[in-house]
Amino acid sequence: MTQQATQEGLSTPTSGYDPSTSIIEIDHVTKSFGSFTAVDDANFSIAQGEFFSMLGPSGCGKTTTLRMIAGFEQPTSGAIRLDGTDVSRVPPNKRDVNTVFQQYALFPHMNVFDNVAFGPRSRKASKDEIAKRVPELLEIVRLADFANRRPSQLSGGQQQRVALARALVNLPKALLLDEPLGALDLKLRHAMQFELKRIQREVGITFVYVTHDQEEALTMSDRIAVMSDGRVEQIGTPTEIYDNPASVFVAGFIGQANLWPGTVTGRSGETADIVALGGASLKGRCQSEALRSGTDAVLMVRPERITISTNDPGPTIQRVRGTVVDLTFQGPIVRLVLHTSDDTPIIANIDPDHDLPMLRPGDNVWASWSTNAASVLPASPDHPLTATDVVDEG
Amino acid sequence: MSVTDSPAVRRVGRIALIAWAVFGFIFLFTPIVVTVIYSFNEPTGKYNYIWNKFSLAAWKDPFKYPELTNSLVYSLKVAFVVTLIATVLGTLMGMAMVKYKFRAKGVLGAVIVLPLTMPEVVMGFSLLTLFVTLNWSRGFVTIIIAQVMFSVSYVATTVRARIRGFDWRLEEASADLGAGPVRTFTKITLPLIAPGVLAAAMLTFALSLDDFIITYLNSGLDNTFPIEIWNLKRSRVPTQINVFSTSLLVISVLMALLVIWQGRRRQRALDGAASASTGIGTHGLAAG
C-alpha cells in the first residue's frame, strides 16, 4: 500500500524532454588539482530540454563538473561537447551556456535592467532587441516592476530571480545552476523550486542543476547523477535512484534506508539470495555483476516499505522476526525500531492508522516487505557498516 | 571597590585623556594654521616670518613671482604624469597580488614595501648614481621615473588593501555572459575598485607635489614647487608661497571630504539594502 503511494509521489513527469537527444556530452572527463582528483572519469550526456541534477555532498566534484561545462575550469583529460562541438578549451565568454551562481554574483553597481542587459550587450545585440528581450525576461521571472532597483535593494529571492533572468536572456543551449537556492530560507526555497520548474517549462532550455539537497533534486529533476568523491555513483530518474540505488552510498544519501550487512548465497538473474539479520535467508533485487555466492553484501530496505504484523505473513514475502525497542510518533508516520535476534536494528515507518494492536517495547512482531522493495548492494569499503548502523538522512 | 574605580578618579582620567588629545591636535595643526594665517600678512622685509599687519595683497596678486608660479605649474604637471603612470602600474600590481597565486608573491610583497621604508636620501642618491652612470641628463623624465618608483608602492599597497574583499566571481559572471577580458575589466572590475584606485591616485598626487629630497637629487635645472621655495629662501620668502600652500590645502581638504561623502553615501546604500532584504523577504515570496 505505501509502496504504490511512494512511487507515484516521486515520479513527477516534468519537462517532457526527448531522452534520445544530447546537448551536453561529458566524455570520460577527469579533473585533477595537483595530486587531488576532483572529478574521476565522469562519462554521461544530458538531453535537450532536460532538467538534470548533479547531487552529492560537498567535495564530491559536482561543482567542478559544472565549472568545466561553463568553461571556468579545463578538464585534465577527456572532452566536453556542447551540441556536438568539443568546447573543452573554449573560454567561458565564447560558450553558449550561462550560469546562475551560488551567491548570484549580481553586478552591484548596475540596476536590475542593466544586469539582465549585460549579456545581450556583450554579444552586441541591437538596442531594439535589448529593449524588447530584457523586459520579456523580467516578466518571466516576475520582476518587471523592479527594473530600476539595485541588487542591494532586493530580497534574496528577488536577487535569485534577477540572476536567473540575466542567465536566461541570451537563450543559452543550457543553463547551469550552482546551488542556486542554498542561500534562501526553507519556505522561500520551496517557492523557488516551483518557480524554477515553471520557468524551465516556459523557456524549454536544458537545466543542469548542482545541489547537495536530495529533496530538491528528487522533486525537480528529470534525471539525477549522484556523485561521491569525484565519481558518478549512479545516474537515473528520481524513482530509479530512490527505489533501486546502485550503491550503499546512494541508498544512504537519498532518503532513509535500512542497511544490513550480509553474505550472498545464490544468484538468479536480477535476484540474489542473501543471509542477513541474524541468519535469515532473504531475497532482493540485485544489479551488480560482482555479487556472487559467498561475497559480502548489504541488504537495503526503505523504512516505509516495511509492514509490521503480529501474525506470520507467510513465506511468500520477505520476513524477519523482531522485538519492538522503540516507538516514536512523528506526525504523518510512526517510527518503529525493532531488534532482530542478533540485535540488528530494523527501522520501519508505519501509518498511524495502521490496523495494529497497541505495540509496546518488548513485543515480538514480524517485519515484512516485498522482494521488489529490497536491494542487494555491493559491500563498500568506503562506507563500512556496523551492526547498529542505520543510515538516517531524514 | 579599588581607588582606580572611583568616579572621581575616572573623571580626572577622562579629562586628562581629552587634554592630551587636544594637545596632540594642536601640535599637528599649528604649522598648518600658521601657514594659512601668514598668507594674510604684509611682511616688513622680504621674509614673511614676522607678523606685521593684515593684508590681502598677496591673495590679490598671487602670480607676482613668475619663477614661483612656473615651479607650481611644473609641479602640477609632474604630479599629473606621475599619478597617471603610478596609478595604472600600482593598481595592476595590487590586483595581481590579491587575485593570483604565483611563485614570487611573497618576495614581491616584501620588495613592494621597501621604497616605503627606505630613507629618501638613500633612494634619491641611488637613483642619481644610476642616472649619472647611464649618462642621462636630469630633468622632467628623471623626476617622473624617480617619483613613479616610490609612488607605485603606495598605490599597490593601498589598492591591495582596498580590494581584498572583492568578489572575483563577478568577473566569472561577466565572462559567462559573453564579455571578453577588456569589457569585463572596464565594465565590471574597474567601476567596482574605483574608490580604492581613486584614493591611491589622490595619495600619489599629494606625495608627488610634496616630495623634496628624491626630486631635488634628480631634478636637474627645472625646479618643482618645493625646490623653488628652498632656493628662494636665500633671497626672500614671499607671502605668495603661503597663498599657494593655502590654496593647495583647501583643494585637498575639499577632495578628501568629497571622497568621504561618497563613501558614506555608498555605505548608506548598502545598509539600507541589508534592512530591505529582510523586510522585503516575505513580499518577494508573495510576488513569486
Side-chain angles (χ1 to χ4, degrees), chain B:
Chain B
M1 196 161 85
S2 71
V3 183
T4 48
D5 278 342
S6 80
V9 170
R10 264 194 291 175
R11 216 169 113 192
V12 170
R14 202 163 56 226
I15 290 168
L17 189 67
I18 291 167
W20 184 244
V22 169
F23 175 74
F25 277 110
I26 290 172
F27 181 79
L28 281 173
F29 286 109
T30 304
I32 295 171
V33 173
V34 167
T35 304
V36 174
I37 292 171
Y38 271 61
S39 73
F40 299 102
N41 189 19
E42 190 186 296
T44 43
K46 287 178 173 175
Y47 290 87
N48 184 16
Y49 284 170
I50 296 159
W51 182 261
N52 180 32
K53 66 171 191 185
F54 181 84
S55 155
L56 288 171
W59 281 98
K60 281 177 180 156
D61 188 12
F63 306 121
K64 189 175 174 187
Y65 302 93
E67 68 272 37
L68 195 64
T69 310
N70 290 343
S71 73
L72 182 62
V73 171
Y74 188 60
S75 261
L76 291 172
K77 257 194 236 170
V78 168
F80 184 77
V81 176
V82 167
T83 304
L84 200 72
I85 298 173
T87 304
V88 171
L89 287 180
T91 300
L92 295 178
M93 270 169 92
M95 275 178 63
M97 290 201 302
V98 176
K99 195 174 168 185
Y100 300 110
K101 285 191 177 125
F102 48 93
R103 196 170 287 177
K105 193 169 176 171
V107 180
L108 182 63
V111 168
I112 212 158
V113 293
L114 219 56
L116 310 182
T117 52
M118 205 194 280
E120 284 201 54
V121 181
V122 177
M123 244 181 19
F125 266 114
S126 314
L127 276 165
L128 180 60
T129 315
L130 178 71
F131 293 139
V132 169
T133 313
L134 291 172
N135 205 13
W136 285 11
S137 59
R138 266 75 67 205
F140 189 72
V141 175
T142 52
I143 293 178
I144 299 288
I145 292 173
Q147 292 197 355
V148 164
M149 212 202 88
F150 70 83
S151 304
V152 155
S153 298
Y154 283 97
V155 177
T157 39
T158 311
V159 169
R160 183 171 63 159
R162 292 291 292 265
I163 66 173
R164 272 263 156 77
F166 186 79
D167 184 0
W168 298 105
R169 280 172 322 148
L170 295 175
E171 291 194 336
E172 286 190 349
S174 171
D176 187 74
L177 293 164
V182 175
R183 185 172 155 83
T184 297
F185 184 76
T186 55
K187 295 288 177 190
I188 306 297
T189 318
L190 194 57
L192 288 170
I193 66 170
V197 174
L198 189 70
M202 280 173 61
L203 183 67
T204 307
F205 198 82
L207 285 171
S208 168
L209 278 184
D210 182 56
D211 184 68
F212 179 75
I213 300 174
I214 295 174
T215 310
Y216 183 67
L217 287 166
N218 296 284
S219 65
L221 293 173
D222 295 320
N223 292 333
T224 61
F225 189 58
I227 296 170
E228 187 60 34
I229 294 171
W230 177 255
N231 286 345
L232 274 177
K233 211 185 72 160
R234 269 168 285 169
S235 51
R236 63 156 68 86
V237 176
T239 316
Q240 273 74 10
I241 291 174
N242 297 61
V243 171
F244 286 149
S245 305
T246 306
S247 308
L248 287 176
L249 177 75
V250 169
I251 292 168
S252 47
V253 167
L254 284 179
M255 278 171 73
L257 286 176
L258 191 76
V259 169
I260 291 170
W261 177 70
Q262 277 283 338
R264 287 250 174 93
R265 222 174 51 146
R266 217 170 233 263
Q267 194 54 49
R268 253 205 309 276
L270 286 177
D271 291 348
S275 57
S277 66
T278 49
I280 304 177
T282 46
H283 169 66
L285 180 61

Side-chain angles (χ1 to χ4, degrees), chain A residues 164-214:
Chain A
L164 206 59
R166 186 180 69 171
L168 280 170
V169 72
N170 281 341
L171 297 176
K173 292 208 168 95
L175 186 75
L176 314 177
L177 303 101
D178 185 7
E179 305 249 5
L181 308 182
L184 304 178
D185 61 54
L186 191 66
K187 214 169 151 190
L188 196 51
R189 201 150 66 215
H190 284 301
M192 279 308 295
Q193 287 177 7
F194 211 70
E195 279 285 285
L196 278 175
K197 280 305 291 182
R198 175 183 67 80
I199 290 165
Q200 201 242 347
R201 269 193 300 268
E202 216 159 296
V203 294
I205 289 174
T206 306
F207 275 33
V208 184
Y209 193 94
V210 159
T211 182
H212 67 272
D213 184 331
Q214 43 119 348

